[in-house]
Coordinates of all heavy atoms in Angstrom, one line a residue:
M1 N 32.5 65.9 -11.0 CA 33.4 65.7 -9.8 C 34.7 66.4 -10.1 O 35.2 66.4 -11.2 CB 33.7 64.2 -9.6 CG 34.2 63.9 -8.2 SD 34.8 62.2 -8.1 CE 33.3 61.3 -8.2
A2 N 35.2 67.1 -9.1 CA 36.4 67.9 -9.3 C 37.6 66.9 -9.2 O 37.6 65.9 -8.6 CB 36.5 68.9 -8.2
R3 N 38.7 67.4 -9.9 CA 39.9 66.6 -9.9 C 40.5 66.7 -8.5 O 40.6 67.8 -7.9 CB 40.9 67.2 -11.0 CG 42.2 66.5 -11.1 CD 42.9 66.9 -12.3 NE 42.3 66.2 -13.5 CZ 42.7 65.0 -13.9 NH1 43.5 64.3 -13.2 NH2 42.1 64.5 -15.0
K4 N 40.9 65.6 -7.9 CA 41.5 65.6 -6.6 C 43.0 65.4 -6.6 O 43.5 64.6 -7.5 CB 40.9 64.4 -5.8 CG 39.5 64.7 -5.2 CD 39.2 63.7 -4.1 CE 37.8 63.8 -3.7 NZ 37.4 62.5 -3.0
L5 N 43.7 65.9 -5.7 CA 45.1 65.9 -5.6 C 45.5 64.9 -4.5 O 45.0 65.0 -3.3 CB 45.7 67.3 -5.3 CG 47.1 67.4 -5.0 CD1 48.0 67.0 -6.2 CD2 47.5 68.8 -4.5
Y6 N 46.4 64.0 -4.8 CA 47.0 63.1 -3.8 C 48.5 63.3 -3.8 O 49.2 63.1 -4.8 CB 46.7 61.6 -4.2 CG 45.2 61.4 -4.3 CD1 44.5 61.6 -5.4 CD2 44.5 60.9 -3.1 CE1 43.1 61.4 -5.5 CE2 43.2 60.7 -3.2 CZ 42.5 60.9 -4.4 OH 41.1 60.7 -4.4
R7 N 49.0 63.8 -2.6 CA 50.4 64.2 -2.6 C 51.3 63.0 -2.2 O 51.0 62.2 -1.4 CB 50.5 65.3 -1.5 CG 49.9 66.6 -1.8 CD 50.3 67.7 -0.9 NE 49.6 68.9 -1.1 CZ 49.9 69.8 -2.0 NH1 51.0 69.6 -2.8 NH2 49.2 70.9 -2.2
G8 N 52.5 63.1 -2.9 CA 53.5 62.1 -2.6 C 54.8 62.9 -2.2 O 54.8 64.1 -2.3
S9 N 55.8 62.2 -1.8 CA 57.0 62.8 -1.4 C 57.9 63.2 -2.6 O 58.7 64.2 -2.6 CB 57.9 62.0 -0.5 OG 58.1 60.7 -1.0
I10 N 57.7 62.5 -3.7 CA 58.5 62.8 -5.0 C 57.6 63.4 -6.0 O 57.9 64.5 -6.6 CB 59.2 61.6 -5.5 CG1 60.2 61.1 -4.5 CG2 60.0 61.9 -6.8 CD1 61.0 59.8 -4.9
I11 N 56.5 62.8 -6.3 CA 55.5 63.3 -7.3 C 54.1 63.1 -6.7 O 53.9 62.3 -5.8 CB 55.6 62.5 -8.6 CG1 55.6 61.0 -8.5 CG2 56.8 63.0 -9.4 CD1 55.5 60.3 -9.8
D12 N 53.2 63.9 -7.2 CA 51.8 63.8 -6.8 C 51.0 63.2 -7.9 O 51.5 63.1 -9.1 CB 51.2 65.2 -6.5 CG 52.0 66.0 -5.5 OD1 52.7 65.3 -4.6 OD2 52.0 67.2 -5.5
V13 N 49.8 62.8 -7.6 CA 48.9 62.2 -8.6 C 47.6 63.0 -8.5 O 47.1 63.2 -7.3 CB 48.7 60.7 -8.4 CG1 47.6 60.2 -9.3 CG2 50.0 59.9 -8.6
T14 N 46.9 63.3 -9.6 CA 45.6 63.8 -9.5 C 44.6 62.9 -10.2 O 45.0 62.1 -11.1 CB 45.4 65.2 -10.1 OG1 45.7 65.1 -11.5 CG2 46.4 66.2 -9.5
F15 N 43.4 62.9 -9.8 CA 42.4 61.9 -10.2 C 41.1 62.6 -10.4 O 40.6 63.3 -9.5 CB 42.3 60.8 -9.2 CG 41.2 59.8 -9.6 CD1 41.3 58.9 -10.6 CD2 40.0 59.8 -8.8 CE1 40.2 58.0 -10.9 CE2 39.0 58.9 -9.1 CZ 39.1 58.0 -10.2
D16 N 40.4 62.4 -11.6 CA 39.1 62.9 -11.8 C 38.2 61.7 -12.0 O 38.2 61.1 -13.1 CB 39.1 63.8 -13.1 CG 37.8 64.5 -13.3 OD1 36.8 64.0 -12.7 OD2 37.7 65.4 -14.1
G17 N 37.4 61.4 -11.0 CA 36.5 60.2 -11.1 C 35.4 60.3 -12.1 O 34.9 59.3 -12.6
A18 N 35.1 61.5 -12.6 CA 34.1 61.7 -13.6 C 34.5 61.1 -15.0 O 33.7 60.8 -15.8 CB 33.7 63.1 -13.8
V19 N 35.8 61.0 -15.2 CA 36.3 60.5 -16.5 C 36.9 59.1 -16.4 O 37.2 58.5 -17.4 CB 37.3 61.5 -17.2 CG1 36.6 62.8 -17.5 CG2 38.5 61.7 -16.4
C20 N 37.0 58.6 -15.2 CA 37.6 57.2 -15.0 C 36.8 56.2 -15.7 O 35.5 56.2 -15.6 CB 37.7 56.9 -13.5 SG 38.2 55.2 -13.2
Q21 N 37.4 55.3 -16.5 CA 36.7 54.2 -17.2 C 36.8 52.9 -16.5 O 36.4 51.9 -17.1 CB 37.2 54.1 -18.7 CG 37.0 55.3 -19.5 CD 37.8 55.4 -20.8 OE1 38.7 54.6 -21.0 NE2 37.4 56.3 -21.7
H22 N 37.4 52.9 -15.4 CA 37.5 51.7 -14.5 C 38.2 50.6 -15.3 O 37.8 49.4 -15.2 CB 36.1 51.2 -14.0 CG 35.4 52.3 -13.3 ND1 35.7 52.7 -12.1 CD2 34.4 53.2 -13.7 CE1 35.0 53.8 -11.7 NE2 34.2 54.1 -12.7
A23 N 39.2 50.9 -16.1 CA 40.0 49.9 -16.8 C 40.9 49.2 -15.9 O 41.5 48.2 -16.2 CB 40.7 50.6 -17.9
A24 N 41.2 49.8 -14.7 CA 42.0 49.2 -13.6 C 43.5 49.0 -14.0 O 44.2 48.2 -13.4 CB 41.4 47.8 -13.2
E25 N 43.9 49.7 -15.0 CA 45.3 49.7 -15.3 C 46.2 50.2 -14.1 O 47.2 49.6 -13.9 CB 45.6 50.7 -16.5 CG 45.2 50.2 -17.9 CD 45.9 49.0 -18.4 OE1 47.1 48.8 -17.9 OE2 45.4 48.3 -19.3
C26 N 45.6 51.1 -13.4 CA 46.4 51.7 -12.3 C 46.5 50.6 -11.2 O 47.6 50.4 -10.7 CB 45.6 52.9 -11.7 SG 43.9 52.7 -11.5
V27 N 45.4 50.0 -10.8 CA 45.4 49.0 -9.7 C 46.2 47.8 -10.1 O 47.0 47.3 -9.3 CB 43.9 48.5 -9.4 CG1 43.9 47.6 -8.3 CG2 43.1 49.8 -9.2
R28 N 46.2 47.4 -11.3 CA 47.0 46.2 -11.8 C 48.5 46.6 -11.8 O 49.4 45.9 -11.5 CB 46.6 45.8 -13.2 CG 45.6 44.6 -13.2 CD 45.6 43.9 -14.5 NE 45.2 44.8 -15.6 CZ 44.0 45.0 -16.0 NH1 43.0 44.4 -15.4 NH2 43.7 45.9 -17.0
G29 N 48.7 47.9 -12.3 CA 50.1 48.3 -12.6 C 50.9 48.6 -11.3 O 52.1 48.4 -11.3
M30 N 50.2 49.2 -10.3 CA 51.0 49.5 -9.1 C 50.1 49.5 -7.9 O 49.6 50.5 -7.3 CB 51.6 50.9 -9.3 CG 52.8 51.2 -8.4 SD 53.7 52.6 -8.9 CE 55.0 52.5 -7.7
P31 N 49.8 48.2 -7.4 CA 48.8 48.0 -6.3 C 49.2 48.7 -5.0 O 48.3 48.9 -4.1 CB 48.7 46.5 -6.2 CG 49.8 45.9 -7.0 CD 50.3 47.0 -8.0
T32 N 50.5 48.9 -4.8 CA 50.9 49.6 -3.6 C 50.4 51.0 -3.5 O 50.1 51.5 -2.4 CB 52.4 49.6 -3.4 OG1 53.0 50.1 -4.6 CG2 53.0 48.2 -3.2
V33 N 50.3 51.7 -4.6 CA 49.8 53.1 -4.7 C 48.3 53.1 -4.9 O 47.6 53.9 -4.2 CB 50.5 53.9 -5.8 CG1 49.9 55.2 -6.0 CG2 52.0 54.0 -5.5
F34 N 47.8 52.3 -5.8 CA 46.4 52.3 -6.1 C 45.7 51.1 -5.4 O 45.8 50.0 -5.9 CB 46.2 52.3 -7.6 CG 46.8 53.4 -8.3 CD1 48.1 53.2 -8.9 CD2 46.2 54.7 -8.4 CE1 48.7 54.3 -9.6 CE2 46.9 55.7 -9.0 CZ 48.1 55.5 -9.6
D35 N 45.0 51.3 -4.3 CA 44.4 50.3 -3.5 C 43.0 50.7 -3.2 O 42.8 51.6 -2.3 CB 45.2 50.0 -2.3 CG 44.7 48.8 -1.5 OD1 43.5 48.4 -1.7 OD2 45.4 48.3 -0.6
T36 N 42.0 50.1 -3.9 CA 40.6 50.6 -3.7 C 40.0 50.2 -2.4 O 39.0 50.6 -2.0 CB 39.7 50.1 -4.9 OG1 39.8 48.7 -4.9 CG2 40.2 50.7 -6.2
T37 N 40.8 49.4 -1.6 CA 40.2 49.0 -0.3 C 40.6 50.0 0.8 O 40.2 49.9 1.9 CB 40.7 47.6 0.2 OG1 42.2 47.6 0.4 CG2 40.4 46.5 -0.9
K38 N 41.5 50.9 0.4 CA 42.0 51.9 1.3 C 41.4 53.3 1.1 O 41.0 53.6 -0.1 CB 43.5 52.0 1.3 CG 44.2 50.8 1.8 CD 45.7 51.1 1.9 CE 46.4 49.9 2.4 NZ 47.8 49.9 2.0
R39 N 41.4 54.2 2.1 CA 41.0 55.6 1.9 C 42.1 56.4 2.4 O 42.4 56.3 3.6 CB 39.6 55.8 2.6 CG 38.5 55.2 2.0 CD 38.1 55.7 0.6 NE 37.1 55.1 -0.1 CZ 37.2 54.0 -0.9 NH1 38.4 53.5 -1.1 NH2 36.2 53.4 -1.5
P40 N 42.6 57.3 1.7 CA 42.4 57.5 0.2 C 42.9 56.3 -0.6 O 43.9 55.7 -0.1 CB 43.1 58.8 -0.1 CG 44.2 58.9 0.9 CD 43.7 58.3 2.2
W41 N 42.3 56.1 -1.7 CA 42.7 54.9 -2.5 C 44.0 55.1 -3.3 O 44.5 54.1 -3.8 CB 41.5 54.4 -3.3 CG 41.2 55.2 -4.6 CD1 40.5 56.4 -4.6 CD2 41.6 54.9 -5.9 NE1 40.5 56.8 -5.9 CE2 41.1 55.9 -6.7 CE3 42.3 53.8 -6.5 CZ2 41.3 56.0 -8.1 CZ3 42.5 53.8 -7.9 CH2 42.0 54.9 -8.7
I42 N 44.4 56.3 -3.4 CA 45.6 56.6 -4.1 C 46.6 57.2 -3.1 O 46.3 58.1 -2.4 CB 45.4 57.7 -5.2 CG1 44.4 57.2 -6.2 CG2 46.8 58.0 -5.9 CD1 44.0 58.2 -7.3
D43 N 47.8 56.5 -3.0 CA 48.8 57.0 -2.0 C 50.2 57.1 -2.7 O 50.9 56.1 -2.6 CB 48.8 56.0 -0.8 CG 49.8 56.5 0.2 OD1 50.3 57.6 0.1 OD2 50.1 55.7 1.2
P44 N 50.5 58.2 -3.3 CA 51.7 58.4 -3.9 C 52.9 58.4 -3.0 O 54.1 58.3 -3.4 CB 51.6 59.8 -4.6 CG 50.2 60.1 -4.6 CD 49.6 59.4 -3.4
M45 N 52.7 58.4 -1.7 CA 53.8 58.3 -0.7 C 54.4 56.9 -0.8 O 55.6 56.7 -0.4 CB 53.2 58.5 0.7 CG 52.8 59.9 1.1 SD 54.3 61.0 1.2 CE 53.5 62.5 1.7
Q46 N 53.7 55.9 -1.4 CA 54.2 54.6 -1.5 C 55.3 54.6 -2.6 O 56.1 53.6 -2.8 CB 53.1 53.6 -1.9 CG 52.0 53.5 -0.8 CD 52.6 53.0 0.5 OE1 53.5 52.2 0.6 NE2 52.1 53.6 1.6
A47 N 55.3 55.6 -3.5 CA 56.3 55.7 -4.5 C 57.4 56.7 -4.1 O 57.5 57.8 -4.7 CB 55.7 56.1 -5.8
D48 N 58.1 56.4 -3.0 CA 59.0 57.4 -2.4 C 60.5 57.1 -2.8 O 61.4 57.6 -2.1 CB 58.8 57.5 -0.9 CG 59.1 56.1 -0.2 OD1 59.3 55.1 -0.9 OD2 59.1 56.1 1.0
T49 N 60.7 56.3 -3.8 CA 62.1 56.2 -4.3 C 62.1 56.6 -5.8 O 61.0 56.7 -6.4 CB 62.5 54.7 -4.3 OG1 61.6 53.9 -5.1 CG2 62.5 54.1 -2.8
A50 N 63.3 56.8 -6.3 CA 63.4 57.2 -7.8 C 62.7 56.1 -8.6 O 62.0 56.4 -9.6 CB 64.8 57.5 -8.1
E51 N 63.0 54.9 -8.3 CA 62.4 53.8 -9.1 C 60.9 53.7 -9.0 O 60.2 53.5 -10.0 CB 63.0 52.4 -8.6 CG 64.5 52.2 -8.8 CD 65.3 53.0 -7.8 OE1 64.8 53.3 -6.7 OE2 66.5 53.3 -8.2
G52 N 60.4 53.9 -7.8 CA 59.0 53.9 -7.5 C 58.3 55.1 -8.3 O 57.3 54.9 -8.9
A53 N 58.9 56.2 -8.2 CA 58.4 57.4 -8.9 C 58.3 57.2 -10.4 O 57.4 57.5 -11.1 CB 59.2 58.7 -8.6
A54 N 59.4 56.5 -11.0 CA 59.5 56.2 -12.4 C 58.4 55.3 -12.8 O 57.7 55.4 -13.8 CB 60.8 55.7 -12.8
Q55 N 58.2 54.3 -11.9 CA 57.1 53.3 -12.2 C 55.7 53.9 -12.1 O 54.8 53.7 -13.0 CB 57.2 52.1 -11.2 CG 56.3 51.0 -11.6 CD 56.2 49.9 -10.5 OE1 56.9 49.9 -9.5 NE2 55.2 49.0 -10.7
L56 N 55.6 54.8 -11.2 CA 54.3 55.5 -11.0 C 54.0 56.4 -12.3 O 52.9 56.4 -12.8 CB 54.3 56.4 -9.8 CG 53.0 57.1 -9.4 CD1 51.8 56.2 -9.4 CD2 53.1 57.8 -8.1
R57 N 55.0 57.1 -12.8 CA 54.8 57.9 -14.0 C 54.4 57.0 -15.1 O 53.5 57.3 -15.9 CB 56.1 58.6 -14.4 CG 56.5 59.8 -13.5 CD 57.7 60.5 -14.1 NE 58.1 61.6 -13.2 CZ 59.1 61.4 -12.3 NH1 59.7 60.2 -12.2 NH2 59.4 62.4 -11.5
E58 N 55.0 55.8 -15.2 CA 54.7 54.9 -16.3 C 53.3 54.4 -16.2 O 52.5 54.3 -17.2 CB 55.7 53.8 -16.3 CG 55.9 53.0 -17.5 CD 55.2 51.6 -17.4 OE1 55.3 50.9 -16.4 OE2 54.4 51.3 -18.4
V59 N 52.9 54.0 -15.0 CA 51.5 53.4 -14.8 C 50.5 54.5 -15.0 O 49.5 54.2 -15.7 CB 51.4 52.8 -13.3 CG1 50.0 52.5 -13.0 CG2 52.3 51.6 -13.2
V60 N 50.7 55.7 -14.5 CA 49.7 56.8 -14.8 C 49.6 57.1 -16.3 O 48.5 57.3 -16.8 CB 50.1 58.0 -14.0 CG1 49.4 59.3 -14.5 CG2 49.9 57.8 -12.5
G61 N 50.8 56.9 -17.0 CA 50.8 57.1 -18.4 C 49.9 56.1 -19.2 O 49.5 56.4 -20.3
R62 N 49.6 55.0 -18.6 CA 48.8 53.9 -19.2 C 47.3 54.1 -18.9 O 46.5 53.4 -19.5 CB 49.2 52.6 -18.6 CG 50.3 51.9 -19.4 CD 50.4 50.4 -18.9 NE 51.6 50.3 -18.0 CZ 51.6 49.4 -17.0 NH1 50.6 48.6 -16.7 NH2 52.7 49.4 -16.3
C63 N 47.0 55.1 -18.1 CA 45.5 55.3 -17.8 C 44.9 55.7 -19.1 O 45.2 56.7 -19.7 CB 45.4 56.4 -16.7 SG 43.7 56.9 -16.5
P64 N 43.9 54.9 -19.6 CA 43.3 55.2 -20.9 C 42.4 56.4 -21.0 O 42.1 56.9 -22.0 CB 42.6 53.9 -21.2 CG 42.2 53.3 -19.9 CD 43.3 53.7 -19.0
S65 N 41.9 56.8 -19.8 CA 40.9 57.9 -19.9 C 41.4 59.3 -19.6 O 40.7 60.2 -19.8 CB 39.8 57.5 -18.8 OG 40.4 57.7 -17.5
G66 N 42.6 59.4 -19.1 CA 43.1 60.7 -18.7 C 42.6 61.0 -17.3 O 42.8 62.2 -16.8
A67 N 42.0 60.1 -16.6 CA 41.5 60.4 -15.2 C 42.7 60.6 -14.3 O 42.6 61.4 -13.4 CB 40.7 59.2 -14.7
L68 N 43.8 59.9 -14.5 CA 45.0 60.0 -13.7 C 46.0 60.9 -14.4 O 46.2 60.8 -15.6 CB 45.6 58.7 -13.4 CG 44.9 57.7 -12.6 CD1 45.7 56.4 -12.5 CD2 44.8 58.2 -11.1
L69 N 46.5 61.8 -13.6 CA 47.6 62.7 -14.2 C 48.7 62.8 -13.1 O 48.4 62.8 -11.9 CB 47.1 64.1 -14.5 CG 46.2 64.2 -15.7 CD1 45.6 65.6 -15.8 CD2 46.8 63.8 -17.0
I70 N 49.9 62.9 -13.6 CA 51.1 63.1 -12.7 C 51.2 64.6 -12.4 O 51.0 65.4 -13.3 CB 52.4 62.6 -13.3 CG1 52.4 61.1 -13.3 CG2 53.6 63.1 -12.6 CD1 52.5 60.4 -12.0
G71 N 51.4 64.9 -11.1 CA 51.7 66.3 -10.8 C 53.2 66.4 -10.3 O 53.5 65.9 -9.2
E72 N 54.0 66.9 -11.2 CA 55.4 67.0 -10.8 C 55.5 68.2 -9.8 O 54.8 69.2 -9.9 CB 56.3 67.4 -12.0 CG 56.4 66.3 -13.0 CD 57.1 65.0 -12.6 OE1 57.8 65.0 -11.5 OE2 56.9 64.0 -13.2
H73 N 56.3 68.1 -8.8 CA 56.3 69.1 -7.7 C 56.5 70.5 -8.1 O 55.9 71.4 -7.6 CB 57.2 68.7 -6.6 CG 56.7 67.6 -5.7 ND1 57.3 67.1 -4.6 CD2 55.5 67.0 -5.7 CE1 56.6 66.2 -4.0 NE2 55.5 66.1 -4.6
E74 N 57.4 70.7 -9.1 CA 57.7 72.0 -9.5 C 56.5 72.7 -10.2 O 56.4 73.9 -10.3 CB 58.9 72.1 -10.4 CG 58.8 71.3 -11.7 CD 59.3 69.9 -11.6 OE1 59.3 69.4 -10.4 OE2 59.6 69.3 -12.6
E75 N 55.4 71.9 -10.6 CA 54.3 72.5 -11.3 C 53.4 73.2 -10.3 O 52.7 74.1 -10.7 CB 53.5 71.4 -11.9 CG 54.1 70.8 -13.2 CD 53.3 69.7 -13.8 OE1 52.2 69.4 -13.3 OE2 53.9 69.0 -14.7
H76 N 53.3 72.8 -9.1 CA 52.4 73.5 -8.2 C 53.0 73.7 -6.8 O 52.2 73.8 -5.8 CB 51.1 72.7 -8.1 CG 51.2 71.3 -7.8 ND1 50.8 70.3 -8.7 CD2 51.8 70.6 -6.8 CE1 51.1 69.1 -8.2 NE2 51.7 69.3 -7.0
R77 N 54.3 73.9 -6.7 CA 54.8 74.3 -5.4 C 55.8 75.4 -5.6 O 56.2 75.7 -6.6 CB 55.6 73.1 -4.8 CG 54.6 72.1 -4.2 CD 55.2 71.1 -3.4 NE 54.1 70.1 -3.1 CZ 54.3 68.9 -2.6 NH1 55.5 68.5 -2.3 NH2 53.3 68.1 -2.4
Ligands
LIG101 S1 43.7 53.4 -15.1 FE1 42.6 55.3 -15.2 S2 40.6 54.8 -16.1 FE2 41.5 52.9 -15.4 S3 40.7 52.7 -13.3 FE3 42.7 53.7 -13.1 S4 42.1 55.9 -13.1 FE4 40.3 54.8 -13.9

């Protein structure tokens, strides 16, 4: 499965479902952004404040598999 990009207003998140270990650190850590009942299930637009973006970076950093990565805007814009 290819890595997918989910755009936010401050930072983006990419996700590769092929390496996800379903540890649910993301869903537990920031349920407003990671909500498996929604499509798309990752919505970085919910982290649209400096505090939210900082929390999102931290939660993504806890992903044990590397499935989630942060995309800083200057990296691909
Ligand atoms: S934290 Fe990473 S490995 Fe765990 S469910 Fe989320 S994306 Fe998958």
Side-chain angles (χ1 to χ4, degrees):
M1 197 190 292
R3 181 166 284 276
K4 278 196 190 163
L5 171 67
Y6 299 87
R7 290 189 187 278
S9 56
I10 299 179
I11 50 176
D12 303 335
V13 171
T14 65
F15 173 71
D16 185 345
V19 297
C20 174
Q21 294 167 348
H22 306 286
E25 289 289 340
C26 50
V27 182
R28 263 199 302 271
M30 205 164 179
T32 51
V33 171
F34 302 99
D35 184 345
T36 56
T37 67
K38 291 191 182 153
R39 291 293 176 270
W41 74 280
I42 301 174
D43 183 9
M45 289 289 184
Q46 301 299 322
D48 62 353
T49 61
E51 294 77 24
Q55 188 188 351
L56 182 54
R57 284 188 189 92
E58 199 258 312
V59 169
V60 165
R62 266 191 260 150
C63 172
S65 66
L68 291 175
L69 292 173
I70 288 291
E72 298 291 346
H73 279 181
E74 61 271 22
E75 286 175 9
H76 50 242
R77 283 192 189 165

